Amino acid sequence: MSKRRLPTARMGDYMPAPGRSDGRFVGDEEEIPMHRLSINSRRSIDSAGMSSTFSIDTPLMAAASDMDEPHSRITMPHTHLDPGGKRGKARTEPLNPQDNAFKKSRYPANVVSNNKYNIITFLPLVLFEQFKFFFNMYFLLVALSQFVPQLRIGYLFTYVGPLVFVLAVTMAKEWHDDYARRKRDGEANSQRYLRLTVDGPMAVSSSKIRVGDLVLIEKNQRVPADMVLLRTTESSGACFVRTDQLDGETDWKLRIAVPPTQKLDDSLDLFLLHGSVYADAPHKDIYDFVGNLVIDSGLPDAQAVTVPLGVENTMWANTTLASGSAVGYVVYTGRDTRAAMNTGHAKTKVGILDTEVNRLSKILFVVTLGLSLAMVALDGFKAVWYITLFRFLILFSSIIPISLRVNLDMGKSFYSMMIERDREIPGAVVRNSMIPEELGRIEYCLTDKTGTLTCNEMELKRVHMGVMAYTLETSDEVTRHLRANLKDRVGAEDPEETRQPSALAKGHGKARRDMPQRVFDMVESLALCHNVTPAEESAPAADSGTHDDRAGVAVSKPMSYQASSPDEVAIVKWTEHVGVVLAERTLSTITLRLDALLPEEQRGHGTAPLLTYDILQVFPFTSESKRMGIVVQSRLSGDMYFIQKGADAVMTRIVEYNDWLDEECGNMARDGLRTLVVGRKRLSRQAYARFEQAYSQARASVVGRAEAMRQAVADHLESDLELLGLTGVEDRLQDHVRTTLELLGNAGVRVWMLTGDKVETATCVAVSARLVRRGQLVHVISGLRSASEVSAALETLRTLGDCCVVIDGDSLQVALDFYRDEFVRIAAALPAVVCCRCSPTQKADVVRVLQQHTGKRVLAVGDGGNDVSMIQAADVGVGLVGLEGRQASLAADFSVDQFSYLARLLLWHGRNSYKRSAKLAQFVIHRGLIISIMQVVFSALFYFAPIALFQGMLLVGYTTVYTMAPVFSLVLDRDVSDEIAMLYPEL
């Protein structure tokens, strides 16, 4: 068929800033100038290159090791959620958006919705929430009784007015809070994205994206809907996404574009394709996706193809594109997205003080009924005694004063205003003004890790090499050692001479070496053993296209790195800081630039010598192996090395014997650093040939392939590695986190950390944040799959007593399924609990289980979309305004900017709100008892007649104007200063 020529538009060079029009935006959809948008692969792709890209043995795929790991989750059956409606079904949609326009309305709109009400449900739901409490229902019945002439006592307004006022105030507050939520949702739904059309890219709001649209996502832009990845700016079709706002994991995830669409010359060539996309029914499992992409016509080779789709071909909503630009095909929108399905519905939260007041009102009603029966009985049940009984009930109704609700609501509004105006908590927002006193009754605090306790900024703090240790402050010594080693070995002062083949990469062996040699070997190994890909901010300014020119030209702008783990990025940045820069990485090579040989003033502005290595094998990190390895060969010397880094628990038996590793690992762990042991082994050609033969045979196995491959590596490579050193990486905590956790602990609040990150990472952060006290035992429960294993683990935990337990998601799920009561009883008594690899749904389940089995008030703190379910399920939810979005902040009851503000929020504002409300409730009830006792005495003296002692407005004035001063004094009461409250959190 003839290929129709479309207007050329390319991705990558243009993305309008939020709120900016550049003079071209018109309404909701605007046409973008065609010359402003570019997307073309930087290198051509042939079929061989594409097939090698997706081989599991390539370094690129090694970065995707997380996708092969077992993730803890609550598996949901792939059933239709709504068999008769417009959502919940598997779908097959045309690939070409022009064929899909008439089907888009069948699916939910792509909107974020955190509001509780709409125009129809507002009045019924608010009234239901109010009158489900006995307190309000009682006064409704009393007010209605005044419409009966025989029961009317005094003015009708004195009974109906207060009730109407209370309901009006409550409805106004609910409307205001819900309007604010709806307004914030509107801001999220109005974010701009580029939708590809046959006429060119169009800027549309997020809410107008529909199933079947082709959407262009730029670097660091949030993905607005669940998509299938069709194209990226990387020639390999790969890109990285950050999923911490979805699952809480800090590791970047590798995503692969569909090969046939990635091979197209231009993104607009997608409109020449005709076919279909199949996606399974929407479900909660963020680690599972089943689909197919069928292309019937439009490919250059004119052949029909069917491509199976998996989770590695998807970008879920609320993730962030971390590298390049990408074009995605929308498969799920709105409430069908994984993010929305893992988010619980907002509920109306009621404070425990309101519950206690409601319970007390029932007791007082029984007292009122008893007094009324006594009065009627003493009168001898004369005539229509039941009318008299009702009149006495109404006369004594001031025992349960309706003014209590008015006064409490007034106090809550004042407390909320004080929180928002506190200069010590800048940026605080109260989104639910009905529960400020709950902040003073918290006994369990469940917090997220990434972005809540930590800044998600990894930094290499320490490198230990047995006889010497280096920190960031002494990194200049490392640079001097590198410079001395390289100059001595090449015998040249001129950096240009080091670019020639020489003994630059020789001399690696197990013989005794001087410190410069040891330092170079360590830095070189750290710069090679990883899955990091460099990306320069600006293209190299070289006239020739040779490899040396591309990698050797130093740029003025800093290098950025892409990786599946922020730990590896931190290590590579450290090697760059000391003078060994990861200049270029392809599927088969790694190029290092030796800036250490350049004078300080020339770094970043001159040409540095290069070292190039061929990548022979990559063994990715997994949660089971806890180590990562690589086999490289130097192009200068021809030497081959097996370099491996991993957790000390597994590397101790792999490296040669030493007398310092265990001690230093313990020292770093006590400082909260995440340790990695680095070892290396030089391989002869014969040794590598033997390994390659065994490894190839293992890969060809049909049964037990993974185990056979691991065994081949262990037999031929993982033995007698030379121990090069130990690294300590810190996930930097937010400011004053340690102090805040200590204050909460002293106040009797038990802190649980719920995170989607790895066990090792969470344990290090718990130690660093002082969630685990110095000297306290950390007991890890992980990898349990059966009820018997969990039973044995709980029995062991019971005998340990005071310790911090770390449990992974799979083990947690088995424990909740089979030993829910026992697990919660044991865990609730521990000073600290860390739950790792938790899905968003699991976090909410932990909150509910803790509430049900302890009866205590639970606070949930988070900053990402994956924390929304937990925040909504908790008695009090606090959202942090994070770098990755405001989902948690919008859904929370209270919003703050930093975790450290939580201490003042609870220990000062929560304490004051609770104590003031409790005293106010006691005062109002006692005030009602006083006038009711006077009414009882008056009726008894006047022959048990149901006549009011105080008439009309006099009674209303007693409960309002005449006793107003004590009410205001109690609302403003403060028994200690804020300095004392923060100094002695036990108060």
Side-chain angles (χ1 to χ4, degrees), residues 74 182 276 410 666:
I74 300 177
R182 187 180 297 275
S276 61
M410 180 188 67

Side-chain angles (χ1 to χ4, degrees), residues 877-926:
V878 176
L880 270 62
V881 180
L883 297 176
E884 301 298 333
R886 300 171 58 89
Q887 297 96 326
S889 171
L890 298 179
D893 304 304
F894 302 88
S895 173
V896 295
D897 293 340
Q898 296 181 22
F899 182 83
S900 59
Y901 296 158
L902 198 64
R904 186 173 178 85
L905 191 64
L906 269 60
L907 303 182
W908 175 240
H909 292 287
R911 178 183 184 274
N912 285 342
S913 300
Y914 172 53
K915 292 179 71 69
R916 291 168 177 174
S917 293
K919 291 179 180 179
L920 181 62
Q922 292 176 357
F923 168 77
V924 174
I925 290 175
H926 281 90

Side-chain angles (χ1 to χ4, degrees), residues 320-570:
T320 304
L321 185 63
S323 64
S325 301
V327 173
Y329 178 94
V330 179
V331 289
Y332 305 116
T333 54
R335 62 178 182 268
D336 282 350
T337 61
R338 297 294 199 273
M341 299 188 75
N342 276 282
T343 302
H345 296 290
K347 66 176 183 179
T348 301
K349 297 182 180 181
V350 178
I352 193 172
L353 182 67
D354 292 332
T355 304
E356 291 171 343
V357 168
N358 188 63
R359 186 184 306 118
L360 184 59
S361 66
K362 296 178 182 178
I363 297 174
L364 293 177
F365 172 74
V366 173
V367 173
T368 303
L369 181 61
L371 285 175
S372 301
L373 284 173
M375 300 297 287
V376 173
L378 291 175
D379 194 32
F381 291 99
K382 295 180 180 178
V384 283
W385 62 269
Y386 49 87
I387 296 293
T388 305
L389 175 64
F390 277 109
R391 288 179 62 89
F392 274 123
L393 282 173
I394 297 170
L395 283 174
F396 300 153
S397 64
S398 55
I399 292 180
I400 314 174
I402 194 172
S403 59
L404 176 60
R405 279 299 308 273
V406 179
N407 294 329
L408 286 178
D409 287 350
M410 180 188 67
K412 291 177 180 181
S413 299
F414 176 78
Y415 308 148
S416 300
M417 181 184 67
M418 293 302 295
I419 292 174
E420 292 185 337
R421 293 189 177 186
D422 190 345
R423 295 182 180 180
E424 299 294 327
I425 315 180
V429 178
V430 179
R431 307 196 190 280
N432 186 351
S433 56
M434 301 299 293
I435 56 172
E437 70 278 352
E438 291 296 280
L439 294 170
R441 308 192 68 168
I442 299 299
E443 296 200 31
Y444 289 93
C445 174
L446 276 57
T447 175
D448 179 43
K449 177 186 74 68
T450 307
T452 304
L453 297 179
T454 70
C455 301
N456 197 22
E457 295 177 3
M458 304 296 178
E459 189 174 42
L460 184 64
K461 286 289 188 181
R462 196 180 309 167
V463 176
H464 200 289
M465 286 180 274
V467 296
M468 286 293 292
Y470 299 97
T471 62
L472 288 175
E473 291 75 17
T474 59
S475 59
D476 55 337
E477 296 183 21
V478 178
T479 304
R480 285 198 296 269
H481 284 312
L482 290 175
R483 184 180 298 114
N485 174 263
L486 294 173
K487 286 183 177 180
D488 289 345
R489 285 158 55 190
V490 300
E493 293 295 331
D494 185 4
E496 288 297 325
E497 297 183 22
T498 64
R499 298 176 63 89
Q500 305 303 320
S502 63
L504 185 62
K506 295 183 179 180
H508 304 289
K510 298 181 182 179
R512 189 174 186 86
R513 297 160 302 175
D514 56 8
M515 183 51 64
Q517 179 65 55
R518 293 171 63 93
V519 169
F520 176 78
D521 291 344
M522 179 65 174
V523 175
E524 178 192 41
S525 298
L526 290 176
L528 292 174
C529 187
H530 52 71
N531 279 304
V532 180
T533 303
E536 293 178 349
E537 296 294 339
S538 62
D543 295 332
S544 65
T546 64
H547 169 78
D548 285 354
D549 285 327
R550 289 199 313 269
V553 177
V555 293
S556 58
K557 292 187 178 181
M559 188 81 73
S560 63
Y561 298 101
Q562 304 166 8
S564 61
S565 171
D567 298 57
E568 293 192 325
V569 174

